[in-house]
């Protein structure tokens, strides 16, 4: 009780302290409220813009509808883009987590200091590259390589495992696989940078205790470093997932931009962000424009759900009072 009272006193001290403290506390409070207000205004604008489409097709009907026909039928459903977003983001995250953590461990635990500085700088540089540059690289360099890989896999499957052919799809190089690979390259720097900082913050006492018990270097990392840094590593994974969910230009350039639910690994598809980028400037009908805004509203809700789930998971990882 005394500890809680002291914390409450410190948190409210700016109300009664010196004038400088009160001014600083008021500024910080206003800036915090401004962030909340910006988020509230964003979701309000998206909801108001997408309300006509949501009233026309219903919340569940719009999210589960598979038809997207702005030309003739004026039928709109977000399911193909929701599926494309989830498939590409989940696939990219599965491919990126292990290289990101491995890079962070190499920089903090294994590499000599000059090498670690170079690798850290290059990793941070990759995070700063604009997405359109990634898209151009993916379209001009990665897609031809992926096409050759898909042709080789498809040829082998047709000869030795015909049941895989419908699962793989036609080997065009433009499709879900290219989007997953490109996204995985883009999100590795985000997850790696946060994981690297979390591992560096592990107290030296953790490592020394493991060494004193006779642990090897890898055992020290496995039993002392990674458990202590798991919260920061999870935060990096969530940051990477958020980047993957909202990525627009790079994915638009390599995914194929189809209005169908991706039925195969090599098939073209579309994400919620890519369909907005492709069609927003060409939407002349009010219902079409409202449907695109509604897709953005659902993307906002999806990102919010991911962050809430990650926060709850982090609270379960760390008992009360031990979160950092």
């Amino acid at each position: 009780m005394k500890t809680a009272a002291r914390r409450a006193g410190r948190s409210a001290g700016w109300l009664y302290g010196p004038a400088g403290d009160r001014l600083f506390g008021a500024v910080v409070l206003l800036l915090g409220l401004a962030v909340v207000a910006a988020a509230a205004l964003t979701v309000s604008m998206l909801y108001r813009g997408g309300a006509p489409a949501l009233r026309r097709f219903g919340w569940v009907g719009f999210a589960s509808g598979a038809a997207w026909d702005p030309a003739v039928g004026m039928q709109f459903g977000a399911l193909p883009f929701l599926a494309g977003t989830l498939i590409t983001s989940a696939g990219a995250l599965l491919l990126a987590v292990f290289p990101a953590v491995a890079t962070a461990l190499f920089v903090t635990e294994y590499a000599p200091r000059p090498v670690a500085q170079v690798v850290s700088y290059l990793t941070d540089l990759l995070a700063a590259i604009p997405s359109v540059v990634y898209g151009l690289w993916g379209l001009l360099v990665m897609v031809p390589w992926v096409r050759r890989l898909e042709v080789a896999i498809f040829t082998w499957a047709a000869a030795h495992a015909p049941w895989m052919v419908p699962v793989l799809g036609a080997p065009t190089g433009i499709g879900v696989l290219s989007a997953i690979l490109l996204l995985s390259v883009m999100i590795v720097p985000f997850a790696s940078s946060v994981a690297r900082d979390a591992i560096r913050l592990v107290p030296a006492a953790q490592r020394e205790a493991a060494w004193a018990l006779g642990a090897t270097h890898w055992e020290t990392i496995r039993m002392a470093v990674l458990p202590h840094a798991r919260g920061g590593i999870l935060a990096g994974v969530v940051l990477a997932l958020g980047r993957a969910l909202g990525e627009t230009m790079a994915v638009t350039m390599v995914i194929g931009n189809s209005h169908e639910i991706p039925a195969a690994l090599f098939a073209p598809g579309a994400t919620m962000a890519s369909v907005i980028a492709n069609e927003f400037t060409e939407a002349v009908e009010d219902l079409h424009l409202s449907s695109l805004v509604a897709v953005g509203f659902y993307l906002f809700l999806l990102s919010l759900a991911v962050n809430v789930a990650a926060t709850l998971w982090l609270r379960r990882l760390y008992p009360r009072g031990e979160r950092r």
Side-chain angles (χ1 to χ4, degrees):
M1 295 294 294
K2 292 181 179 180
T3 302
R6 283 197 296 268
R7 290 178 179 175
R10 285 196 300 267
S11 63
W14 67 274
L15 292 174
Y16 311 105
D21 289 350
R22 294 199 303 271
L23 177 61
F24 180 76
V27 171
V28 171
L29 177 63
L30 289 176
L31 292 176
L33 292 177
V35 174
V36 176
L41 289 174
T42 300
V43 69
S44 174
M45 182 274 296
L46 291 174
Y47 175 74
R48 285 188 285 106
L54 296 177
R55 286 195 297 265
R56 170 75 176 273
F57 304 107
W59 284 64
V60 177
F62 184 77
S64 60
W68 187 270
D69 184 12
V72 180
M74 295 301 290
Q75 294 294 319
F76 300 98
L79 184 59
F81 317 120
L82 178 61
T85 300
L86 293 177
I87 291 172
T88 55
S89 299
L93 197 64
L94 289 175
L95 292 179
V97 168
F98 182 77
V101 176
T103 302
L105 287 175
F106 173 76
V107 169
T108 56
E109 300 291 334
Y110 290 98
R113 185 175 182 83
V115 177
Q117 290 178 344
V118 172
V119 174
S120 299
Y121 174 76
L122 292 177
T123 303
D124 295 339
L125 180 62
L126 288 176
I129 296 176
S131 60
V132 67
V133 176
Y134 273 111
L136 288 173
W137 174 83
L139 187 63
L140 300 177
V141 178
M142 192 189 71
V143 166
W145 176 82
V146 172
R147 184 184 298 115
R148 291 192 294 269
L149 176 64
E150 290 179 353
V151 169
I153 295 175
F154 185 88
T155 303
W156 179 90
H160 300 90
W163 61 270
M164 292 180 59
V165 172
V167 178
L168 295 176
T172 62
I174 298 287
V176 173
L177 179 61
S178 295
I180 290 175
L181 294 176
L182 185 59
L183 272 179
S184 65
V185 173
M186 295 179 67
I187 66 178
V188 162
F190 292 89
S192 178
S193 296
V194 179
R196 183 183 67 216
D197 293 337
I199 293 171
R200 283 175 174 167
L201 290 175
V202 175
Q206 294 285 117
R207 298 179 172 87
E208 293 171 357
W211 292 333
L213 294 174
T216 64
H217 194 176
W218 164 242
E219 289 172 341
T220 301
I221 293 173
R222 180 171 57 87
M223 295 186 299
V225 175
L226 290 180
H228 195 279
R230 64 185 184 273
I233 294 174
L234 174 61
V237 170
V238 174
L239 178 63
L241 180 58
R243 172 68 187 268
L245 288 172
E247 181 52 47
T248 305
M249 289 309 302
V251 174
T252 302
M253 299 172 74
V254 300
I255 198 171
N257 301 305
S258 170
H259 291 165
E260 302 293 331
I261 299 176
L265 182 61
F266 301 160
T271 64
M272 304 171 83
S274 68
V275 70
I276 296 173
N278 276 325
E279 300 185 13
F280 195 84
T281 57
E282 301 175 0
V284 295
E285 298 291 340
D286 292 340
L287 185 60
H288 186 191
L289 182 61
S290 177
S291 298
L292 291 173
V293 178
V295 170
F297 177 67
Y298 275 81
L299 180 58
F300 183 93
L301 295 181
L302 178 61
S303 301
L304 179 63
V306 168
N307 282 275
V308 171
T311 301
L312 295 177
W313 187 17
L314 186 59
R315 288 181 178 178
R316 293 191 64 180
L317 284 177
Y318 286 102
R320 182 180 296 274
E322 294 184 9
R323 289 190 293 271
R324 287 170 171 80

